[in-house]
């Protein structure tokens, strides 16, 4: 039998979550964000499950080509655009859409003999201060693009810094105000896209022409201290393993690296095949929830590279071969993330390539 650690991907949960998003955004077009191997869920499998969306967004040219070659005919957007001139030919060849976020990219494009009809997402920095043209530079970039290719399709794009933060609404409003400077300058029909998952849930006024959900599709909440359960999402990934050994500790026996965990009574410990080299967070402390035989117990001691240890005291029959859920169905990834002082996004996207992902109906 192979090592029992698996990421089970529930494709009907992906579809269910897409339907939840549709309810929030009505007829707005959906650009499914499938960067980082679809947040760890597998690019092609996820795209297949979400085939009814209007577009996909990725980072790497290779991922975009993979989608196109697999037969996906929707818009495929490169979220950071291109990095060299030769990539522009590939973008044309595969009919990809590209972000233009800086002067270097704009110059490379304007100097290029385009063949296809360019589909450009002009990224505007409205206050996140990461990528994009300032609004006034954006207007000039847009004018240059229009002169270069009057038939180019240009979508104005921005990204919110704090749409997930329920205590901080002023920054979203400030960013919206800044984006409005550009909107005022538009002919009718210029498309716009602003909303990530958090804005889809919390700011209906930002839905515009395209929304760009990532985390919602995978069934986790973008909002701190909330889980996907409340907006009616289903976890698409269940990280599942088994107990591969059992140890009996006497009071004052120490457990694992550093001996940081010390038994204060007789304890039964399950050793689980999952460690930080698989993407389970090393910083998860004693007490982090884990399911064994669908019952809640806790992580104890330090997470090591390939294994972690859980408390089986009082867990009845649980022993070697018992199924363990690290997160997913029955245990929201947000809870594990919170315990490890991180966010669900990091846990999902850090899933190691050595973990087999398998499609599974749960
Ligand atoms: C990753 C990303 C998204 C998706 O963010 P979620 O919070 O997962 O919805 C949307 N837009 C851009 C530009 C991104 O980079």
């Amino acid at each position: 039998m192979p090592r029992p650690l698996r990421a089970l991907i529930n494709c009907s949960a992906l579809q269910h979550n897409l339907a939840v998003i549709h309810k929030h955004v009505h007829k707005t077009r959906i650009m499914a964000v499938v960067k980082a191997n679809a947040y760890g869920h597998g690019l092609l499998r996820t795209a297949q499950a979400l085939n009814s969306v209007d577009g996909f967004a990725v980072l790497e040219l290779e991922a975009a080509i993979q989608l196109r070659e697999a037969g996906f005919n929707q818009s495929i957007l490169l979220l950071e655009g291109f990095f060299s001139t030769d990539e522009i030919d590939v973008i044309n060849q595969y009919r990809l859409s590209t972000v233009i976020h800086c002067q270097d990219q704009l110059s490379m494009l304007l100097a290029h003999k385009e063949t296809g009809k360019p589909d450009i997402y002009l990224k505007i920095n409205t206050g996140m201060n990461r990528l994009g043209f300032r609004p006034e530079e954006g207007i000039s970039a847009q004018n240059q693009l229009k002169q270069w290719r009057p038939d180019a399709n240009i979508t104005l794009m921005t990204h919110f810094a704090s749409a997930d933060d329920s205590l901080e609404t002023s920054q979203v409003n400030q960013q919206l105000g800044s984006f409005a400077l550009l909107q005022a300058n538009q002919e009718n029909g210029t498309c716009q896209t602003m909303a990530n998952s958090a804005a889809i849930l919390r700011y209906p006024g930002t839905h515009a022409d395209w929304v760009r959900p990532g985390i919602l599709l995978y069934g986790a909440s973008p909002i701190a201290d909330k889980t996907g359960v409340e907006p009616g999402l289903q976890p698409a990934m269940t990280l599942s393993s088994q107990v591969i050994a059992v140890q009996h500790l006497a009071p004052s026996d120490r457990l694992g690296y550093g001996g940081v965990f010390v038994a204060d009574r007789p304890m039964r410990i399950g050793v689980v095949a999952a460690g930080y080299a698989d993407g389970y967070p090393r910083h998860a402390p004693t007490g982090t929830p884990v399911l064994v035989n669908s019952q809640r117990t806790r992580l104890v001691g330090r997470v090591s590279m390939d294994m972690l240890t859980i408390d089986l005291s009082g867990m009845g029959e649980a022993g070697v071969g018992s199924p363990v859920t690290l997160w997913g169905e029955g245990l929201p990834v947000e809870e594990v993330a919170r315990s490890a002082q991180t966010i669900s996004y990091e846990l999902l996207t850090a899933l190691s390539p050595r973990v087999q992902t398998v499609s599974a109906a749960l």
Side-chain angles (χ1 to χ4, degrees):
M1 201 190 81
R3 187 166 179 256
L5 180 62
R6 299 270 179 287
L8 309 174
I9 308 301
N10 181 349
C11 290
S12 55
L14 290 167
Q15 289 164 351
H16 167 88
N17 297 333
L18 177 60
V20 171
I21 294 168
H22 272 297
K23 273 199 201 126
H24 281 270
V25 306
H26 308 290
K27 292 202 152 45
T28 299
R29 278 176 280 175
I30 294 179
M31 173 86 66
V33 178
V34 291
K35 62 188 173 185
N37 195 28
Y39 290 41
H41 294 64
L43 177 65
L44 291 183
R45 170 195 296 117
T46 301
Q48 208 79 60
L50 301 176
N51 199 8
S52 65
V53 296
D54 306 282
F56 293 107
V58 294
L59 262 294
E60 307 88 351
L61 196 53
E62 293 70 24
I65 293 171
Q66 220 187 329
L67 284 172
R68 191 61 90 216
E69 287 191 333
F72 294 99
N73 259 318
Q74 297 93 326
S75 300
I76 301 176
L77 175 64
L78 295 167
L79 283 170
E80 290 179 355
F82 48 87
F83 298 88
S84 63
T85 304
D86 49 327
E87 292 181 349
I88 300 174
D89 291 319
V90 184
I91 287 172
N92 283 329
Q93 185 190 341
Y94 287 92
R95 296 175 289 113
L96 305 177
S97 310
T98 183
V99 160
I100 300 282
H101 68 78
C102 65
Q103 189 57 49
D104 278 352
Q105 285 178 335
L106 181 63
S107 307
M108 277 191 254
L109 193 62
L110 296 182
H112 202 83
K113 277 208 186 64
E114 282 276 323
T115 45
K117 179 175 156 74
D119 188 34
I120 293 161
Y121 285 68
L122 193 59
K123 182 98 182 245
I124 308 300
N125 172 16
T126 53
M128 173 98 176
N129 289 319
R130 209 174 48 174
L131 295 183
F133 296 90
R134 304 232 158 228
E136 56 287 356
E137 299 165 350
I139 292 169
S140 143
Q142 193 185 6
N143 290 337
Q144 291 175 65
L145 284 167
K146 277 186 193 154
Q147 268 173 11
W148 166 70
R149 280 290 297 262
D151 64 332
N153 189 35
I154 302 172
T155 302
L156 300 175
M157 171 171 172
T158 197
H159 191 60
F160 294 119
S162 53
D164 57 318
D165 186 344
S166 43
L167 299 175
E168 167 60 73
T169 51
S170 62
Q171 194 177 10
V172 171
N173 290 326
Q174 175 264 313
Q175 290 194 252
L176 272 173
S178 185
F179 203 52
L181 291 179
L182 261 110
Q183 291 162 331
N185 236 288
Q186 299 307 313
E187 309 152 4
N188 286 340
T190 306
C191 282
Q192 292 163 19
T193 175
M194 296 174 262
N196 57 4
S197 291
I200 287 171
L201 293 183
R202 303 194 54 232
Y203 297 96
T206 65
H207 292 173
D209 299 288
W210 287 91
V211 290
R212 307 187 306 269
I215 199 76
L216 286 180
L217 291 167
Y218 308 104
S221 174
I223 295 161
D225 295 328
K226 294 245 165 24
T227 70
V229 176
E230 287 134 271
L233 304 168
Q234 296 172 359
M237 180 197 293
T238 296
L239 185 61
S240 123
S241 190
Q242 286 179 11
V243 174
I244 59 168
V246 171
Q247 300 293 337
H248 296 270
L249 304 189
S252 84
D253 278 353
R254 294 159 65 154
L255 175 65
Y257 281 116
V260 287
F261 181 82
V262 184
D264 59 356
R265 58 201 141 93
M267 286 181 80
R268 216 156 61 88
I269 298 295
V271 180
V272 178
Y276 61 77
D278 300 302
Y280 192 90
R282 184 175 173 280
H283 288 104
T286 289
T288 300
V290 179
L291 303 184
V292 58
N293 286 338
S294 306
Q295 276 184 292
R296 235 166 222 261
T297 182
R298 58 179 184 138
L299 181 84
V300 282
R302 257 187 211 159
V303 173
S304 52
M305 188 184 291
D306 311 313
M307 283 169 268
L308 53 81
T309 40
I310 62 176
D311 190 356
L312 294 183
S313 311
M315 299 294 292
E317 300 289 285
V320 172
S322 292
V324 171
T325 296
L326 283 325
W327 63 66
E329 190 67 35
L331 178 58
V333 63
E334 297 93 322
E335 269 194 60
V336 179
R338 195 177 316 146
S339 178
Q341 296 188 31
T342 182
I343 54 176
S344 62
Y345 296 72
E346 187 180 18
L347 298 190
L348 297 175
T349 60
L351 187 77
S352 160
R354 85 177 190 186
V355 179
Q356 215 193 328
T357 56
V358 292
S359 301
L362 290 170

